[in-house]
Amino acid sequence: MKGPLFYSKILLFGEYGIIKDSKGLSIPYNFYNGALKVSEEPTAKSKESNEHLVRFAAYLNTLQNENPDLVNFDIASLEADIEKGMYFDSSIPQGYGVGSSGALVAAIYDKYATDKITVLENLTRDKLLKLKKIFGKMESFFHGESSGLDPLNSYLSIPILINSKDNIEPAGIPSQTENGTGAVFLLDSGSTGETAPMVSIFMENMKQEPFRKMLKNQFVKHTDACVDDFLKGDVKSLFKNVKHLSHVVLDNFKPMIPPQFHKLWKHGIETNDYYLKLCGSGGGGYILGFTEDLEKAKESLKDYNLEVVYNF
């Protein structure tokens, strides 16, 4: 048995802000993917994944009993497949901000949800919101509160524009420029990040009036502008706003930036060679970079491995 592939995702803009109703833009990233599998010869990794699925199935059973109107699963089939040794075979790095748990949630929903909303039907806003809600509840098993966006992106495999909590839609993003010099890239911090502790630092900061003010007047303002610029293909304005955003993050989200990157972050802003921002909740994993000149950025960051995800 081998199920369909579900891809990783990148939240280009909106990390933390979408908790407080900023805009967001999430795109599928096909470089990494995962699928449900049953193997004849289990490995240590597949056994560990299988044990995770045992606990996840129990959680889903409770979830459907508590929310029968929201979602129902064929738990008997799920448990029977887990019994056969089913696991999630994934190349998506965990704790890297590219949606490893989201892809698993999408795969389980796709195979075991009864009366599921499918990718092929007309996806009205209500259907998208219902899917997002179901996925949020499912993904909460992995790291507490979840927006449900990662699984939604993985399930639909299309860019998603978040206008606000209750307003999401599929987004058409400008097609990439084949020989463009500008790029969005991933920078490997070399360590994993844990979502839950980072979110709790953020929630703690939200209790302070100055932080809330900064979030609304600077972080959300520049995030919204970046989303608009990106969708319009206004590269000049985009880089101006990404620079502001990078600065705001460096000044106000220091705990979410691995300490060894504080200097590198600042160097990008001062030289304009590249601008860095958080990818997901931060604390480790990938850092997202934007540059108008990829060769210059590569030279500046020659000690690091850059993975290009989008060309301007």
Side-chain angles (χ1 to χ4, degrees), residues 28 49 66 68 101 104 118-119 138 149 160 177 184 218 228 232 235 249 282-283 287 296-297:
S49 170
E66 288 173 357
S101 58
L104 169 56
T118 72
V119 185
M138 288 174 73
L149 270 172
I160 291 168
T177 317
V184 182
Q218 295 175 51
D228 291 343
K232 283 199 304 242
V235 177
V249 173
I287 290 166
K296 208 186 257 184

Side-chain angles (χ1 to χ4, degrees), residues 185-190 260-261 263-264 267 273-274 276 294-307:
F185 59 86
L186 292 175
L187 190 65
D188 190 343
S189 73
Q260 68 275 27
F261 284 92
K263 216 169 166 174
L264 215 57
H267 179 76
D273 287 356
Y274 57 85
L276 300 179
L294 186 57
E295 291 315 308
K296 208 186 257 184
K298 279 181 176 168
E299 182 52 39
S300 243
L301 299 162
K302 59 180 180 293
D303 299 337
Y304 298 88
N305 186 16
L306 269 58
E307 272 176 46

